[in-house]
């Protein structure tokens, strides 16, 4: 313990002073490149960060990592003529595993035979129940539902998303999660190959 | 930065005066001032409140929006960020706080719980969204919304403020709209005074 | 100040039935363990257990509703603060009102809040309890919600997945099916206008029951309510105090403002669905919560996580501890009046840790990262590098900086030293856990007392301080951060390669019937999950022994005799998280 009263407080203040000085030192050493550059943003979130820590949203955004999850979306593949086919087969696994039960799926049926067709007639997610847990994406066997990176969803009304709002292209998926998308594509291709192999 | 936005009065300023004169409408300057100094109520409910604190901390720095002055008293605040699960035990207090806020006042439902009940919606002590009791201006989905998502929601509030006009704004009018929201009570279950006749007539649900 | 504590010797096999002839019946249901005894013998048995056998620490009290068998069970988990395995004993009562069980508060005062919870949620009357009121719901609420035959207004089915979601899942909001348009139902014939009682009455009556000071002037005592909306209560927590001048003569914590029905929902969820819900208990330390729950279910399933997964788990749990303690330190300083600067410094480091969580698990706070038999996914590329950078270069330096910033400051010292003292004896008595217990001089840490996962492979000290005051609780947290850094450093170096999941990922796991109590040392203290499976896809009972909640048992006794201004400081030093207090 310090014998002089006030020594501890001075010590505290010295820390503040040091941090204050670091702000300028770091700013100077980056010669103006510290802000509004990807490198600058990465630096401010790294182990070497000193000085101003703020990332100035919305002008700058912290890059989200690949695994980042927000509200899920449905992936569709685009055909050569621009036709869109949802990968979802309405198997219902995501609806079964969803902890708050916020996925509603209506399975299509063939009007002629009444048998189910692997295609959702309706797919609804109540984004105001969704806990962003990612279990739906984790257990979907068809890579059809994935977790989105888009978090700028604030709106003036309650958020219930239907299949139109939820659909996003496979290209988009690949752009936000390149590593996962590549791995899954490879696995699907391998599976398809082995299936045709068996068929012959 | 906002000078361009402000300075669009639909009125020609002669070129020689442009350096000295700025013309704007009363609405614009008034809303500009308001939107850049929204003071939130310092009021955290659950997990989302932690992200709200993070939004106020150095990395996201809500002060850049003029919102860092979190008031512990509702009498001094403009914005109520409902940051978390609204329970039946808590809703009477929330409504009372809302009634105590001076107009104009805004409500931001942060996160799934405040917007629609969230993951705990089915629980016996959870209100299915704060909008069952108080009007909500902006809904921010996410569980929890990241601080950046919250900032996005706050920008929506600013956007809303900027779209308002003194002539039509609700709080300068007279009418039933101005009445206080009746504070719910706790009985065998939550009692909403607005629904008393319904409760008396309703059979067991 | 940290003293190393030897790993306890394996508990000598204790022949309880021989010690208590005719009192104990072994629990022979498959998968169960422990002893069943009668109401009449409970107090005698518990006294002997505490005084003669040294089981001085009551970890958890909870109830289980065995509706099909027509009985209720109260389950007690008792441990020794010197370490080792515990004793589980149970009381069974027929399921007909009134259900009465003798209260253990006179022997283990730590049972106070837990028994109130069991009364509130199950309607078991604990005879001899000094203050048996509802705790999470309000006085006057209809029914005891955790009973299996009590259904909430939105009730659809006993177990998820709900049939209304697929294959014909047309979205209907639950409230539109309710007559009142909200999550509400009333007993038959209820008329709100004839309601006359006041839900707060019982609280104020309880507050008035204190020892009047007979000496000195006869002064008026006033009741002050702090919260639930108060900047220093760390959320929606309410404290009702009776004041004599500025001195506190009685204090009651009031909670339940964030009661989100974890346990009721948890008993409808499948086992895997509960994982993301555990994130939301103590939302500052989701990885630890995952850990505890995973351990409990893995015990039931009898699976062992892979080596690499074990290391990743330990790393994540320790990083969580650091993040949580940083928040606790910042918040305590806020409460002491150093508004926001220390918090900003602490949050800066926490942000960097959250970045790692986000990269690994996908979310900053709600990690949902553990699975039964491992973790959800391996560390993404580059993350290990980041962890290394943080733990070998940055954090040790930064912690010293924050320490330098705070610990010698005269204001903190004078507000902390000698204030809000909890003695070692009281700490055990009130079942305090975590930093609260260790600051009072009890070197009890589940990681050492009953090592789980692979904690026995790491070198670290159990941190203790001896004064039990606010300052020591702050310092314990600093020391624990240092120890956690040590553990992560070791784990990073030893991290083996290999798979991270021992089982095939499955969305419905098969869990054999039985009971399990998984406990971990969370940042707030001993976090336990008591899970009962009956072989179905959903747990029959899912109970959380929440350290924040039980630590509040000691809150009143610490504060009585202090000044009002110290209440916030004491509360800050206990470090509660409301998600866990109210669940
Ligand atoms: S992220 Fe979780 S809560 Fe949201 S839809 Fe998927 S499974 Fe349901
Ligand atoms: S929306 Fe999610 S994070 Fe926010 S309060 Fe609810 S459970 Fe917590």
């Amino acid at each position: 313990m310090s014998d002089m009263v006030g020594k501890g407080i001075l010590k505290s203040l010295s820390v503040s002073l040091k941090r204050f000085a670091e702000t300028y030192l770091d700013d100077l050493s980056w010669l103006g490149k510290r802000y509004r550059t990807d490198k600058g943003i990465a630096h401010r979130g790294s182990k070497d960060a000193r000085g101003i820590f703020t990332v100035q949203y919305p002008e700058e955004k912290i890059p989200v990592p690949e695994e980042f999850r927000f509200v899920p979306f449905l992936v569709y593949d685009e055909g050569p003529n621009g036709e869109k086919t949802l990968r979802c087969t309405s198997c219902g696994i995501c609806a079964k595993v969803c902890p708050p039960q916020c996925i509603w799926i209506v399975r299509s049926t063939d009007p002629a035979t009444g048998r189910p067709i692997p295609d959702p007639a309706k797919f609804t997610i109540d984004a105001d129940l969704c806990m962003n847990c990612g279990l739906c994406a984790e257990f979907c066997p068809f890579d059809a539902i994935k977790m989105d990176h888009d978090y700028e969803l604030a709106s003036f009304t309650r958020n219930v998303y239907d299949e139109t709002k939820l659909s996003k292209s496979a290209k988009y998926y690949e752009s936000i999660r390149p590593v996962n998308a590549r791995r899954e594509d490879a696995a699907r291709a391998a599976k398809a190959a082995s299936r045709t192999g068996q068929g012959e | 930065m906002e000078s361009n936005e402000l300075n669009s009065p639909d009125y020609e300023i002669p070129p020689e005066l442009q350096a000295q004169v700025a013309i704007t409408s009363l609405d614009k300057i008034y809303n500009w001032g308001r939107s850049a100094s929204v003071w939130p109520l310092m009021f955290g409910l659950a997990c989302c409140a932690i992200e709200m604190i993070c939004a106020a901390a150095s990395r996201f720095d809500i002060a850049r929006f003029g919102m860092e002055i979190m008031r512990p008293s509702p009498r001094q605040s403009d914005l109520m960020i409902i940051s978390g699960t609204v329970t039946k035990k808590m809703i009477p207090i929330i409504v009372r706080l809302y009634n105590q806020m001076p107009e104009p006042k805004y409500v931001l439902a942060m996160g799934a719980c405040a917007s629609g009940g969230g993951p705990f919606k089915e629980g016996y002590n959870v209100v299915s969204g704060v909008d069952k009791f108080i009007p909500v201006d902006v809904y921010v989905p996410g569980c929890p919304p990241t601080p950046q998502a919250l900032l996005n929601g706050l920008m929506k509030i600013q956007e809303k403020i900027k779209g308002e006009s003194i002539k039509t704004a609700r709080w300068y009018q007279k009418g039933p709209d101005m009445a206080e929201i009746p504070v719910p009570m706790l009985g065998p279950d939550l009692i909403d005074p607005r629904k008393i006749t319904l409760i008396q007539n309703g059979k067991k649900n | 100040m940290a003293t190393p504590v030897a790993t306890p010797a394996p508990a000598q096999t204790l022949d309880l039935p021989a010690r208590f002839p005719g009192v104990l019946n072994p629990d022979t249901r498959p998968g169960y363990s422990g002893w069943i005894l009668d109401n009449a013998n409970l107090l005698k048995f518990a006294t002997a257990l505490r005084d003669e056998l040294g089981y001085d620490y009551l970890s958890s009290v909870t109830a289980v509703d065995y509706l099909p068998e027509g009985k209720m069970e109260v389950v007690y988990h008792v441990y020794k603060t010197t370490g080792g395995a515990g004793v589980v004993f149970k009381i069974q009562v027929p399921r007909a009102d009134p259900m009465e069980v003798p209260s253990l508060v006179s022997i283990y005062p730590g049972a106070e809040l837990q028994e109130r919870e069991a009364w509130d949620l199950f309607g078991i009357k604990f005879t001899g309890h000094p203050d048996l009121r509802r705790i999470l719901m309000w006085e006057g609420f209809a029914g005891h919600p955790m009973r299996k035959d009590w259904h909430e207004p939105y009730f659809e089915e006993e177990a998820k997945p709900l049939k209304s979601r697929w294959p014909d899942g047309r979205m209907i909001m639950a409230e539109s099916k309710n007559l009142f348009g909200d999550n509400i139902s009333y007993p038959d014939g209820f008329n709100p206008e004839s309601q006359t009682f006041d839900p707060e009455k019982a609280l104020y009556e309880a507050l008035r029951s204190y020892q009047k000071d007979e000496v000195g002037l006869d002064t008026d005592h006033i009741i002050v309510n702090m919260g639930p909306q108060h900047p220093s209560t760390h959320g929606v927590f309410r404290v009702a105090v009776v004041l004599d001048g500025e001195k506190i003569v009685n204090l009651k914590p009031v909670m339940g403002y964030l009661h989100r029905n974890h346990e009721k929902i948890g008993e409808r969820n499948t086992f895997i669905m509960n994982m993301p819900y555990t994130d939301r208990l103590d939302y500052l330390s989701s990885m630890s919560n995952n850990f505890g729950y995973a351990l409990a279910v893995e015990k039931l399933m009898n699976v062992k996580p892979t080596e690499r997964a074990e290391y990743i788990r330990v790393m994540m749990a320790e990083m969580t501890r650091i993040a949580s303690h940083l928040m606790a330190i910042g918040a305590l300083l806020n409460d002491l009046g150093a508004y926001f600067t220390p918090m900003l410094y602490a949050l800066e480091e926490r942000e960097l840790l959250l970045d790692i969580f986000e990269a690994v698990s996908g979310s900053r706070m709600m990690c949902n990262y553990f699975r039964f038999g491992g973790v959800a996914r391996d560390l993404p590329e580059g993350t290990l590098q980041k962890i290394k950078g943080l733990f070998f270069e940055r954090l040790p330096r930064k912690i010293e900086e924050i320490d330098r910033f705070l610990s010698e400051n005269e204001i903190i010292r004078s507000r902390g030293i000698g204030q809000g003292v909890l003695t070692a004896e009281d700490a055990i008595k009130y079942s305090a856990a975590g930093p609260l217990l260790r600051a009072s001089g009890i070197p009890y840490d589940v990681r050492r007392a009953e090592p789980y996962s692979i904690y026995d492979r790491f070198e670290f000290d159990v941190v203790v301080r001896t004064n039990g005051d606010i300052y020591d609780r702050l310092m314990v947290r600093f020391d624990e951060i240092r120890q956690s850094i040590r553990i992560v450093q070791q784990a990073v170096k030893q991290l083996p390669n290999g798979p991270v999941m021992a089982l095939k990922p499955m969305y419905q796991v098969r869990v054999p019937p039985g009971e399990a109590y998984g406990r971990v040392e969370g940042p707030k203290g001993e976090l336990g999950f008591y899970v009962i499976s009956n072989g179905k896809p959903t747990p029959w009972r899912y109970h959380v022994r929440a350290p924040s909640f039980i630590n509040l048992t000691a809150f009143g006794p610490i504060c009585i005799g202090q000044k009002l201004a110290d209440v916030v400081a004491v509360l800050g030093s206990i470090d509660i998280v409301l998600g866990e207090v109210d669940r």
Side-chain angles (χ1 to χ4, degrees), chain A residues 54, chain B residues 36 55-58 60-69 151 154:
Chain A
T54 311
Chain B
S58 43
F60 304 98
D61 196 8
I62 209 173
R64 294 177 297 116
F65 299 84
M67 296 179 184
E68 80 280 22
I69 312 179
L151 295 182
L154 292 171

Side-chain angles (χ1 to χ4, degrees), chain C residues 454-523:
Chain C
I454 51 165
Y455 273 105
D456 45 2
R457 298 187 201 166
F458 297 107
E459 259 177 52
F460 67 98
D461 300 332
V462 174
V463 176
V464 265
R465 295 254 167 176
T466 46
N467 299 322
D469 54 15
I470 295 173
Y471 185 76
D472 272 5
R473 280 172 222 142
L474 178 65
M475 287 301 125
V476 162
R477 297 208 166 88
F478 273 116
D479 292 343
E480 282 191 9
I481 292 179
R482 296 193 183 102
Q483 298 303 328
S484 294
I485 293 176
R486 248 175 100 189
I487 297 177
V488 177
Q489 286 177 342
Q490 294 171 45
V492 169
K493 281 192 198 136
Q494 301 170 10
L495 181 70
N497 284 326
V500 293
M501 269 295 275
L503 304 171
K504 222 170 114 267
M506 279 176 296
Y507 71 92
Q508 271 200 357
V509 288
R510 271 204 43 73
V511 180
E515 61 168 4
Y517 185 60
R519 53 181 202 147
V520 295
E521 184 69 33

